[in-house]
Amino acid sequence: MLQPELKLRRDKIRSLMAQQGIEAALITCNANLIYTYGCVVSGYLYLPLHSPALLFFKRPNNITGEHSFFIRKPEQITELLKEQGLPVPTKLMLEGDELPYTEYVRLAGLFPDTEVVNGTPLIRQARSIKTSIEIEMIRRSGMAHSKAYEQIPSVYRPGMTDIEFSIEIERLMRLQGNLGIFRVFGRSMEIFMGSVLTSDNAGYPSPYDFALGGQGLDPALPGGANKTPLKEGQSVMVDLGGNFNGYMGDMSRVFSIGKLSEEAYAAHQVCLEIQEKISSIARPGIACENLYNTAVEIATKAGFADKFMGTNQQAKFIGHGIGLEINEVPVLALRMKQELETGMVFALEPKIVIPSVGPVGIENTWVVTNEGIEKLTNCNEEIIDLEAFYKQEE
Amino acid sequence: MLQPELKLRRDKIRSLMAQQGIEAALITCNANLIYTYGCVVSGYLYLPLHSPALLFFKRPNNITGEHSFFIRKPEQITELLKEQGLPVPTKLMLEGDELPYTEYVRLAGLFPDTEVVNGTPLIRQARSIKTSIEIEMIRRSGMAHSKAYEQIPSVYRPGMTDIEFSIEIERLMRLQGNLGIFRVFGRSMEIFMGSVLTSDNAGYPSPYDFALGGQGLDPALPGGANKTPLKEGQSVMVDLGGNFNGYMGDMSRVFSIGKLSEEAYAAHQVCLEIQEKISSIARPGIACENLYNTAVEIATKAGFADKFMGTNQQAKFIGHGIGLEINEVPVLALRMKQELETGMVFALEPKIVIPSVGPVGIENTWVVTNEGIEKLTNCNEEIIDLEAFYKQEE
């Protein structure tokens, strides 16, 4: 990562710190280190309001540079700050929503005379407005993601189960450079590379706040494919995370085994219509709840209110900010007053689950521009018939 | 999960709680919920010392059962406990090393007159001694892991890079039922399914406390393959996590492209000798540091002190407890006085990195029995020549 870019990101955080009278930040969680330091290390970035950031690192042991200090334990930080002539901050922020309790208490204890506050919401706010380099990285990620998705029909074989289909698509994603790891904000939401859902498994309620659930292969990892065979007349939705360079792109596409019911095609068109409508009204200044309400209104008018965003358990959002993590700010949800701002990046995912057919709908990654929003994940959005494709290739 | 098994696990935790005067536990982190409730939910298991556990769940919305209560937020828990006639605990434990700071403070705040303590070490201690059902699950996981590894030579193609080789092995693992997710205790150590290391990439220092590092594909996820071509005279070590049912088995095997240097084969034999020696002396009552020191002694005597467990950055352990997470108690490390106990399960991984050749060595999963230790991951431990295998199959 180039230094000017890191400086820009750090200054975005500093500017919010200044508004709250916070004189320094101690940053150590991986996504925030990638954001402010450009890579993952085992260590701490100390970010003062008015002087350059310092890195205190434990591993790897080959870090060099003027502002880098090897430490064995965080207790050495305060002494090193003193040696560098830095004042003890009056107010310091730690990653309170991310650091484990005992680690937070330990780090706060290094600054006994300092007011320590939770800096996670502030850093998430800074991260919600992407820099032009970040947008370019997400754009490239979207291109790789699309390239992998375009090959999906070629890996389908009759008789496959959802998990076998998923495994072949995971491989396509990895061959395109997907790093595999799926970063989620918060301790609880776990998922492997994403989900491939067919038939009524799409309505299986999830313990998580993902758009759709799925039973999964084992109670130890609920969500996604559950060995349902891909059968004639069923749809299958592919929704894998697009982490090609640290940034989580998000994209869903729907396939069919032969022909689906008329209702399923109609529902799919409703989702495309929602996407079309939202992309025409979304722009800086619009409240997220307006977008959510617009989507629900269209789905309801079309008669899909009870199948929109799930059946047994319905998600109360239609999109979510994305970046280094899959669930960033803003959230396009009920009662969410937050307004879109230029530079925000989000996934928009209107989806409908048709009982005994499966999921339909669409998901793309969008960036908010000065004038509106622009799609970063471009590939065929219609339902592709895998069986027809297979027969044609044979 | 069968109720008697869950009761057994809960009682193991209760018995340690009783020793410390802890009257109740509130458990919500995924690995601990799998342990005590049998699956992941979004919710809280309230575990009193002297009465049955209660589940307070938010999602999924289809949980039923006598002791299960739907909640919208954790603040409802105290009222529901009262309704159930349960006393406010004098001393309560929360998962202090796992819960984020703000969540811990919020949950502790529900019990203003209660002494709240960090229960993570206690739960980890309970989890370190596996039940016979857990051992059986790890045994089955080890069988699936071995079955996938036996097929590794069949996916090698001349000209592959390390990452291409890794992707094909990941697919083999998934087809055997691997859930994919790699659970690690602690917030910082991130890894996809494991690592495939060849040549000098094996000596690349990691930000994490894994046995070996590797540069990885991107600074956003250091570790593992870095697109090094698999070349004649180089070794390649496959070390993927074996999560087939929630339990993380661990196994490494080494392959070669053609013939390796004599030194590499000698080093590999030293690692097998270390494994042999340790498996002959390990039994309940032996201190972990003895096993570590024995390994270092053998490696040193053979002239590999500076290449044992890495070159540029050497890991200071030769094994680690495994279970629902890859890094459980005990740790077979320097100065670790903890003694082995019947029912512990650990990975033993003596490894040596040979400059300009790559990594050699072995890793298996072992269970501590009354008499010694038993291997749960059984497949060929010699270095397999991929090039020779490929030519033979052609």
Side-chain angles (χ1 to χ4, degrees):
Chain A
M1 191 57 60
L2 297 168
Q3 284 303 318
E5 169 69 7
L6 293 178
K7 175 83 166 56
L8 176 62
R9 297 179 186 181
R10 292 171 188 174
D11 286 348
K12 279 156 58 81
I13 294 175
R14 283 190 178 106
S15 126
L16 295 170
M17 284 164 57
Q19 289 171 26
Q20 301 182 24
I22 298 169
E23 294 173 3
L26 192 61
I27 293 170
T28 181
C29 292
N30 289 356
N32 295 328
L33 282 178
I34 296 171
Y35 187 71
T36 55
Y37 184 68
C39 68
V40 172
V41 296
S42 176
Y44 309 84
L45 190 80
Y46 185 79
L47 184 68
L49 200 48
H50 298 299
S51 57
L54 307 181
L55 182 77
F56 301 99
F57 69 96
K58 292 186 286 189
R59 291 163 188 268
N61 62 4
N62 60 349
I63 296 175
T64 52
E66 181 181 16
H67 298 301
S68 304
F69 304 86
F70 172 75
I71 58 169
R72 293 194 180 279
K73 50 184 186 178
E75 283 68 20
Q76 295 172 254
I77 292 175
T78 35
E79 192 54 36
L80 286 163
L81 288 175
K82 212 195 221 168
E83 281 174 22
Q84 294 299 306
L86 285 171
V88 174
T90 308
K91 195 171 174 183
L92 170 87
M93 70 181 197
L94 295 175
E95 298 150 300
D97 295 337
E98 293 149 283
L99 282 177
Y101 173 78
T102 49
E103 192 175 357
Y104 184 100
V105 169
R106 181 178 178 181
L107 294 177
L110 305 181
F111 302 88
D113 302 320
T114 296
E115 180 192 355
V116 177
V117 298
N118 175 15
T120 298
L122 186 159
I123 299 174
R124 277 169 68 78
Q125 190 186 338
R127 280 173 40 193
S128 72
I129 312 293
K130 272 65 181 174
T131 67
S132 52
I133 286 186
E134 287 186 287
I135 293 167
E136 181 59 25
M137 288 174 81
I138 299 171
R139 189 185 299 278
R140 289 184 192 179
S141 187
M143 290 166 67
H145 204 153
S146 301
K147 216 166 160 187
Y149 271 31
E150 280 162 7
Q151 297 170 59
I152 289 176
S154 71
V155 299
Y156 168 77
R157 297 289 174 272
M160 267 182 161
T161 61
D162 54 1
I163 184 67
E164 288 166 341
F165 191 45
S166 182
I167 291 168
E168 299 309 326
I169 304 167
E170 292 162 14
R171 177 175 171 276
L172 292 177
M173 291 285 273
R174 290 282 282 154
L175 287 171
Q176 281 300 325
N178 192 307
L179 305 179
I181 210 154
F182 194 110
R183 284 202 178 92
V184 186
F185 175 76
R187 65 166 174 84
S188 69
M189 285 163 65
E190 291 179 313
I191 190 168
F192 181 51
M193 290 181 73
S195 73
V196 170
L197 295 170
T198 189
S199 191
D200 285 342
N201 186 41
Y204 196 97
S206 164
Y208 307 130
D209 199 12
F210 291 126
L212 298 179
Q215 185 181 18
L217 296 174
D218 191 283
L221 188 66
N226 70 342
K227 296 191 184 171
T228 301
L230 300 182
K231 276 195 193 142
E232 178 78 22
Q234 312 283 292
S235 68
V236 50
M237 177 179 283
V238 176
D239 181 5
L240 298 192
N243 182 0
F244 294 88
N245 51 24
Y247 286 85
M248 295 293 317
D250 213 351
M251 171 157 58
S252 302
R253 290 297 183 267
V254 178
F255 303 86
S256 70
I257 318 301
K259 291 277 165 238
L260 303 181
S261 66
E262 283 309 313
E263 186 192 18
Y265 290 113
H268 189 72
Q269 290 308 315
V270 168
C271 293
L272 291 179
E273 188 192 325
I274 289 172
Q275 174 179 261
E276 179 66 26
K277 176 71 183 175
I278 285 179
S279 69
S280 76
I281 63 172
R283 61 172 55 82
I286 197 166
C288 291
E289 63 172 0
N290 288 0
L291 302 177
Y292 177 79
N293 293 337
T294 299
V296 171
E297 204 174 287
I298 297 174
T300 303
K301 214 165 158 182
F304 292 110
D306 58 339
K307 303 182 181 76
F308 187 56
M309 305 308 290
T311 47
N312 303 310
Q313 182 176 277
Q314 295 178 287
K316 293 297 179 204
F317 66 89
I318 55 147
H320 50 89
I322 50 179
L324 292 166
E325 291 167 316
I326 196 74
N327 49 350
E328 301 207 349
V329 178
V331 188
L332 280 55
L334 191 63
R335 284 189 284 277
M336 201 59 76
K337 310 279 178 213
Q338 183 169 20
E339 294 176 1
L340 292 188
E341 294 178 56
T342 302
M344 282 179 169
V345 174
F346 62 86
L348 176 64
E349 50 176 332
K351 295 175 180 175
I352 292 172
V353 176
I354 306 294
S356 77
V357 173
V360 296
I362 193 77
E363 177 173 33
N364 284 302
T365 296
W366 300 78
V367 57
V368 182
T369 64
N370 289 331
E371 299 80 31
I373 64 175
E374 183 200 344
K375 197 187 290 179
L376 300 180
T377 43
N378 294 287
C379 79
N380 190 339
E381 301 189 348
E382 296 301 328
I383 298 175
I384 296 176
D385 182 347
L386 296 170
E387 199 62 40
F389 183 93
Y390 179 77
K391 282 178 183 151
Q392 187 189 320
E393 294 294 297
E394 236 183 358
Chain B
M1 190 57 60
L2 298 168
Q3 284 303 317
E5 169 68 8
L6 293 178
K7 176 83 167 56
L8 176 62
R9 296 180 187 182
R10 292 171 188 173
D11 285 348
K12 278 157 57 80
I13 294 176
R14 284 190 177 106
S15 128
L16 295 170
M17 283 164 58
Q19 288 171 26
Q20 300 183 24
I22 298 169
E23 294 173 3
L26 192 62
I27 293 171
T28 182
C29 292
N30 290 355
N32 295 328
L33 280 178
I34 297 171
Y35 188 71
T36 55
Y37 183 68
C39 68
V40 172
V41 296
S42 176
Y44 309 84
L45 190 81
Y46 184 79
L47 184 68
L49 200 48
H50 298 298
S51 56
L54 307 181
L55 182 76
F56 301 99
F57 68 96
K58 293 186 286 188
R59 292 161 188 270
N61 62 4
N62 61 348
I63 295 175
T64 53
E66 181 182 14
H67 298 301
S68 303
F69 305 86
F70 172 74
I71 58 169
R72 293 192 180 280
K73 50 182 186 176
E75 282 69 21
Q76 296 172 254
I77 292 175
T78 34
E79 192 55 35
L80 286 164
L81 288 175
K82 212 192 215 170
E83 282 174 22
Q84 293 299 307
L86 284 171
V88 175
T90 308
K91 194 172 175 182
L92 169 88
M93 70 181 197
L94 295 175
E95 296 150 303
D97 294 337
E98 294 150 282
L99 282 177
Y101 173 78
T102 49
E103 193 176 358
Y104 184 100
V105 169
R106 179 178 179 181
L107 294 177
L110 306 181
F111 302 88
D113 301 319
T114 296
E115 181 191 355
V116 178
V117 299
N118 175 16
T120 298
L122 185 160
I123 299 174
R124 277 170 67 79
Q125 189 187 339
R127 279 173 41 194
S128 74
I129 312 295
K130 272 65 181 174
T131 67
S132 53
I133 285 185
E134 287 186 287
I135 293 168
E136 180 59 24
M137 288 174 80
I138 300 172
R139 188 186 300 278
R140 288 184 192 178
S141 186
M143 290 166 66
H145 205 154
S146 300
K147 215 165 159 186
Y149 271 30
E150 279 163 8
Q151 298 170 59
I152 289 176
S154 71
V155 299
Y156 168 79
R157 297 289 174 272
M160 268 181 159
T161 61
D162 53 1
I163 184 68
E164 288 165 341
F165 191 46
S166 182
I167 292 168
E168 300 308 327
I169 303 167
E170 291 161 15
R171 177 175 171 275
L172 292 178
M173 291 286 272
R174 291 281 282 154
L175 287 171
Q176 282 299 325
N178 192 308
L179 306 180
I181 209 154
F182 193 109
R183 285 203 178 91
V184 186
F185 175 75
R187 66 168 172 82
S188 69
M189 284 164 63
E190 291 179 313
I191 188 168
F192 181 51
M193 290 182 72
S195 72
V196 169
L197 296 170
T198 188
S199 190
D200 284 342
N201 185 40
Y204 197 95
S206 164
Y208 307 131
D209 198 13
F210 291 126
L212 298 179
Q215 185 182 17
L217 296 174
D218 191 282
L221 188 65
N226 69 343
K227 297 192 183 170
T228 301
L230 301 183
K231 276 195 194 144
E232 179 79 22
Q234 312 282 293
S235 68
V236 50
M237 178 180 282
V238 176
D239 181 5
L240 298 191
N243 181 1
F244 295 88
N245 50 24
Y247 286 85
M248 296 292 316
D250 214 351
M251 169 155 62
S252 302
R253 289 295 183 269
V254 178
F255 303 86
S256 70
I257 319 299
K259 291 279 165 236
L260 303 180
S261 67
E262 284 309 312
E263 187 192 16
Y265 290 112
H268 189 72
Q269 290 309 314
V270 168
C271 293
L272 291 179
E273 188 192 326
I274 289 171
Q275 173 180 261
E276 178 66 26
K277 178 69 185 177
I278 286 180
S279 69
S280 76
I281 63 173
R283 62 173 56 82
I286 197 166
C288 291
E289 63 174 358
N290 288 0
L291 301 177
Y292 177 79
N293 293 337
T294 299
V296 170
E297 203 174 288
I298 297 173
T300 304
K301 214 165 157 182
F304 292 110
D306 59 338
K307 303 181 181 77
F308 188 56
M309 303 309 290
T311 47
N312 303 311
Q313 181 176 276
Q314 295 178 288
K316 294 296 179 204
F317 66 88
I318 53 147
H320 50 89
I322 49 180
L324 293 166
E325 291 167 316
I326 197 75
N327 50 348
E328 301 207 350
V329 179
V331 188
L332 279 56
L334 191 64
R335 284 188 285 276
M336 201 60 76
K337 309 281 178 211
Q338 183 170 20
E339 294 177 0
L340 293 188
E341 294 177 57
T342 302
M344 283 179 168
V345 173
F346 63 85
L348 176 64
E349 51 176 330
K351 296 174 179 174
I352 292 172
V353 176
I354 306 294
S356 77
V357 173
V360 296
I362 193 77
E363 178 174 33
N364 284 302
T365 296
W366 301 79
V367 56
V368 183
T369 63
N370 289 330
E371 298 81 32
I373 64 174
E374 182 198 345
K375 195 187 291 180
L376 301 180
T377 44
N378 294 286
C379 80
N380 191 340
E381 300 188 348
E382 295 301 328
I383 298 175
I384 296 176
D385 182 347
L386 296 170
E387 200 62 40
F389 184 92
Y390 179 77
K391 283 178 182 151
Q392 186 189 319
E393 295 294 297
E394 238 183 356

PDB file of all heavy atoms in Angstrom, chain A residues 165-179:
ATOM      1  N   PHE A 165     -21.915 -28.702  -6.280  1.00  0.00           N
ATOM      2  CA  PHE A 165     -21.924 -27.527  -7.163  1.00  0.00           C
ATOM      3  C   PHE A 165     -21.150 -26.386  -6.492  1.00  0.00           C
ATOM      4  O   PHE A 165     -20.307 -25.729  -7.121  1.00  0.00           O
ATOM      5  CB  PHE A 165     -23.377 -27.131  -7.424  1.00  0.00           C
ATOM      6  CG  PHE A 165     -23.594 -26.112  -8.515  1.00  0.00           C
ATOM      7  CD1 PHE A 165     -22.949 -26.198  -9.737  1.00  0.00           C
ATOM      8  CD2 PHE A 165     -24.500 -25.065  -8.320  1.00  0.00           C
ATOM      9  CE1 PHE A 165     -23.176 -25.260 -10.749  1.00  0.00           C
ATOM     10  CE2 PHE A 165     -24.738 -24.127  -9.316  1.00  0.00           C
ATOM     11  CZ  PHE A 165     -24.066 -24.219 -10.529  1.00  0.00           C
ATOM     12  N   SER A 166     -21.404 -26.188  -5.217  1.00  0.00           N
ATOM     13  CA  SER A 166     -20.717 -25.137  -4.465  1.00  0.00           C
ATOM     14  C   SER A 166     -19.198 -25.324  -4.503  1.00  0.00           C
ATOM     15  O   SER A 166     -18.441 -24.379  -4.735  1.00  0.00           O
ATOM     16  CB  SER A 166     -21.206 -25.137  -3.011  1.00  0.00           C
ATOM     17  OG  SER A 166     -20.587 -24.106  -2.285  1.00  0.00           O
ATOM     18  N   ILE A 167     -18.761 -26.567  -4.304  1.00  0.00           N
ATOM     19  CA  ILE A 167     -17.315 -26.844  -4.254  1.00  0.00           C
ATOM     20  C   ILE A 167     -16.641 -26.471  -5.577  1.00  0.00           C
ATOM     21  O   ILE A 167     -15.546 -25.899  -5.596  1.00  0.00           O
ATOM     22  CB  ILE A 167     -17.068 -28.337  -3.900  1.00  0.00           C
ATOM     23  CG1 ILE A 167     -17.486 -28.592  -2.440  1.00  0.00           C
ATOM     24  CG2 ILE A 167     -15.603 -28.728  -4.123  1.00  0.00           C
ATOM     25  CD1 ILE A 167     -17.570 -30.067  -2.060  1.00  0.00           C
ATOM     26  N   GLU A 168     -17.330 -26.777  -6.699  1.00  0.00           N
ATOM     27  CA  GLU A 168     -16.728 -26.448  -8.000  1.00  0.00           C
ATOM     28  C   GLU A 168     -16.674 -24.935  -8.217  1.00  0.00           C
ATOM     29  O   GLU A 168     -15.746 -24.417  -8.836  1.00  0.00           O
ATOM     30  CB  GLU A 168     -17.496 -27.131  -9.140  1.00  0.00           C
ATOM     31  CG  GLU A 168     -17.519 -28.662  -9.074  1.00  0.00           C
ATOM     32  CD  GLU A 168     -16.141 -29.291  -8.912  1.00  0.00           C
ATOM     33  OE1 GLU A 168     -15.148 -28.752  -9.447  1.00  0.00           O
ATOM     34  OE2 GLU A 168     -16.048 -30.336  -8.225  1.00  0.00           O
ATOM     35  N   ILE A 169     -17.665 -24.222  -7.689  1.00  0.00           N
ATOM     36  CA  ILE A 169     -17.669 -22.763  -7.842  1.00  0.00           C
ATOM     37  C   ILE A 169     -16.630 -22.124  -6.915  1.00  0.00           C
ATOM     38  O   ILE A 169     -15.951 -21.168  -7.287  1.00  0.00           O
ATOM     39  CB  ILE A 169     -19.082 -22.192  -7.592  1.00  0.00           C
ATOM     40  CG1 ILE A 169     -20.089 -22.861  -8.542  1.00  0.00           C
ATOM     41  CG2 ILE A 169     -19.096 -20.680  -7.804  1.00  0.00           C
ATOM     42  CD1 ILE A 169     -21.544 -22.598  -8.175  1.00  0.00           C
ATOM     43  N   GLU A 170     -16.488 -22.673  -5.728  1.00  0.00           N
ATOM     44  CA  GLU A 170     -15.427 -22.209  -4.822  1.00  0.00           C
ATOM     45  C   GLU A 170     -14.073 -22.312  -5.526  1.00  0.00           C
ATOM     46  O   GLU A 170     -13.242 -21.413  -5.443  1.00  0.00           O
ATOM     47  CB  GLU A 170     -15.394 -23.060  -3.538  1.00  0.00           C
ATOM     48  CG  GLU A 170     -16.604 -22.872  -2.642  1.00  0.00           C
ATOM     49  CD  GLU A 170     -16.784 -24.010  -1.635  1.00  0.00           C
ATOM     50  OE1 GLU A 170     -15.841 -24.814  -1.434  1.00  0.00           O
ATOM     51  OE2 GLU A 170     -17.884 -24.106  -1.048  1.00  0.00           O
ATOM     52  N   ARG A 171     -13.875 -23.432  -6.227  1.00  0.00           N
ATOM     53  CA  ARG A 171     -12.618 -23.645  -6.940  1.00  0.00           C
ATOM     54  C   ARG A 171     -12.440 -22.590  -8.045  1.00  0.00           C
ATOM     55  O   ARG A 171     -11.351 -22.028  -8.207  1.00  0.00           O
ATOM     56  CB  ARG A 171     -12.604 -25.057  -7.535  1.00  0.00           C
ATOM     57  CG  ARG A 171     -11.381 -25.384  -8.375  1.00  0.00           C
ATOM     58  CD  ARG A 171     -11.409 -26.846  -8.823  1.00  0.00           C
ATOM     59  NE  ARG A 171     -10.357 -27.093  -9.790  1.00  0.00           N
ATOM     60  CZ  ARG A 171     -10.467 -26.852 -11.091  1.00  0.00           C
ATOM     61  NH1 ARG A 171     -11.598 -26.373 -11.580  1.00  0.00           N
ATOM     62  NH2 ARG A 171      -9.449 -27.099 -11.901  1.00  0.00           N
ATOM     63  N   LEU A 172     -13.516 -22.298  -8.777  1.00  0.00           N
ATOM     64  CA  LEU A 172     -13.432 -21.254  -9.813  1.00  0.00           C
ATOM     65  C   LEU A 172     -13.033 -19.917  -9.191  1.00  0.00           C
ATOM     66  O   LEU A 172     -12.210 -19.175  -9.751  1.00  0.00           O
ATOM     67  CB  LEU A 172     -14.791 -21.076 -10.517  1.00  0.00           C
ATOM     68  CG  LEU A 172     -15.300 -22.207 -11.403  1.00  0.00           C
ATOM     69  CD1 LEU A 172     -16.681 -21.851 -11.947  1.00  0.00           C
ATOM     70  CD2 LEU A 172     -14.315 -22.480 -12.550  1.00  0.00           C
ATOM     71  N   MET A 173     -13.622 -19.622  -8.049  1.00  0.00           N
ATOM     72  CA  MET A 173     -13.320 -18.353  -7.371  1.00  0.00           C
ATOM     73  C   MET A 173     -11.856 -18.319  -6.934  1.00  0.00           C
ATOM     74  O   MET A 173     -11.164 -17.306  -7.088  1.00  0.00           O
ATOM     75  CB  MET A 173     -14.226 -18.190  -6.146  1.00  0.00           C
ATOM     76  CG  MET A 173     -15.682 -17.962  -6.499  1.00  0.00           C
ATOM     77  SD  MET A 173     -15.988 -16.283  -7.096  1.00  0.00           S
ATOM     78  CE  MET A 173     -16.261 -15.452  -5.546  1.00  0.00           C
ATOM     79  N   ARG A 174     -11.370 -19.420  -6.383  1.00  0.00           N
ATOM     80  CA  ARG A 174      -9.978 -19.491  -5.924  1.00  0.00           C
ATOM     81  C   ARG A 174      -9.025 -19.354  -7.110  1.00  0.00           C
ATOM     82  O   ARG A 174      -8.013 -18.658  -7.018  1.00  0.00           O
ATOM     83  CB  ARG A 174      -9.729 -20.815  -5.191  1.00  0.00           C
ATOM     84  CG  ARG A 174     -10.429 -20.918  -3.857  1.00  0.00           C
ATOM     85  CD  ARG A 174      -9.712 -20.132  -2.779  1.00  0.00           C
ATOM     86  NE  ARG A 174      -8.530 -20.829  -2.273  1.00  0.00           N
ATOM     87  CZ  ARG A 174      -7.473 -20.207  -1.723  1.00  0.00           C
ATOM     88  NH1 ARG A 174      -7.430 -18.892  -1.635  1.00  0.00           N
ATOM     89  NH2 ARG A 174      -6.447 -20.906  -1.263  1.00  0.00           N
ATOM     90  N   LEU A 175      -9.371 -20.001  -8.228  1.00  0.00           N
ATOM     91  CA  LEU A 175      -8.494 -19.918  -9.402  1.00  0.00           C
ATOM     92  C   LEU A 175      -8.446 -18.491  -9.957  1.00  0.00           C
ATOM     93  O   LEU A 175      -7.463 -18.100 -10.578  1.00  0.00           O
ATOM     94  CB  LEU A 175      -8.955 -20.908 -10.488  1.00  0.00           C
ATOM     95  CG  LEU A 175      -8.667 -22.378 -10.171  1.00  0.00           C
ATOM     96  CD1 LEU A 175      -9.347 -23.298 -11.185  1.00  0.00           C
ATOM     97  CD2 LEU A 175      -7.156 -22.666 -10.130  1.00  0.00           C
ATOM     98  N   GLN A 176      -9.490 -17.703  -9.717  1.00  0.00           N
ATOM     99  CA  GLN A 176      -9.479 -16.297 -10.134  1.00  0.00           C
ATOM    100  C   GLN A 176      -8.717 -15.412  -9.144  1.00  0.00           C
ATOM    101  O   GLN A 176      -8.591 -14.211  -9.362  1.00  0.00           O
ATOM    102  CB  GLN A 176     -10.902 -15.761 -10.280  1.00  0.00           C
ATOM    103  CG  GLN A 176     -11.598 -16.148 -11.566  1.00  0.00           C
ATOM    104  CD  GLN A 176     -10.870 -15.655 -12.808  1.00  0.00           C
ATOM    105  OE1 GLN A 176     -10.272 -14.580 -12.822  1.00  0.00           O
ATOM    106  NE2 GLN A 176     -10.874 -16.469 -13.848  1.00  0.00           N
ATOM    107  N   GLY A 177      -8.290 -16.014  -8.030  1.00  0.00           N
ATOM    108  CA  GLY A 177      -7.496 -15.236  -7.073  1.00  0.00           C
ATOM    109  C   GLY A 177      -8.195 -14.917  -5.764  1.00  0.00           C
ATOM    110  O   GLY A 177      -7.652 -14.181  -4.932  1.00  0.00           O
ATOM    111  N   ASN A 178      -9.393 -15.472  -5.568  1.00  0.00           N
ATOM    112  CA  ASN A 178     -10.099 -15.235  -4.306  1.00  0.00           C
ATOM    113  C   ASN A 178      -9.253 -15.751  -3.129  1.00  0.00           C
ATOM    114  O   ASN A 178      -8.788 -16.887  -3.137  1.00  0.00           O
ATOM    115  CB  ASN A 178     -11.459 -15.956  -4.346  1.00  0.00           C
ATOM    116  CG  ASN A 178     -12.365 -15.528  -3.199  1.00  0.00           C
ATOM    117  OD1 ASN A 178     -11.985 -15.580  -2.038  1.00  0.00           O
ATOM    118  ND2 ASN A 178     -13.566 -15.104  -3.539  1.00  0.00           N
ATOM    119  N   LEU A 179      -9.074 -14.893  -2.121  1.00  0.00           N
ATOM    120  CA  LEU A 179      -8.242 -15.268  -0.975  1.00  0.00           C
ATOM    121  C   LEU A 179      -8.935 -16.283  -0.080  1.00  0.00           C
ATOM    122  O   LEU A 179      -8.301 -16.887   0.783  1.00  0.00           O
ATOM    123  CB  LEU A 179      -7.884 -14.031  -0.149  1.00  0.00           C
ATOM    124  CG  LEU A 179      -7.209 -12.879  -0.908  1.00  0.00           C
ATOM    125  CD1 LEU A 179      -6.937 -11.719   0.048  1.00  0.00           C
ATOM    126  CD2 LEU A 179      -5.917 -13.350  -1.568  1.00  0.00           C
TER     127      LEU A 179
END
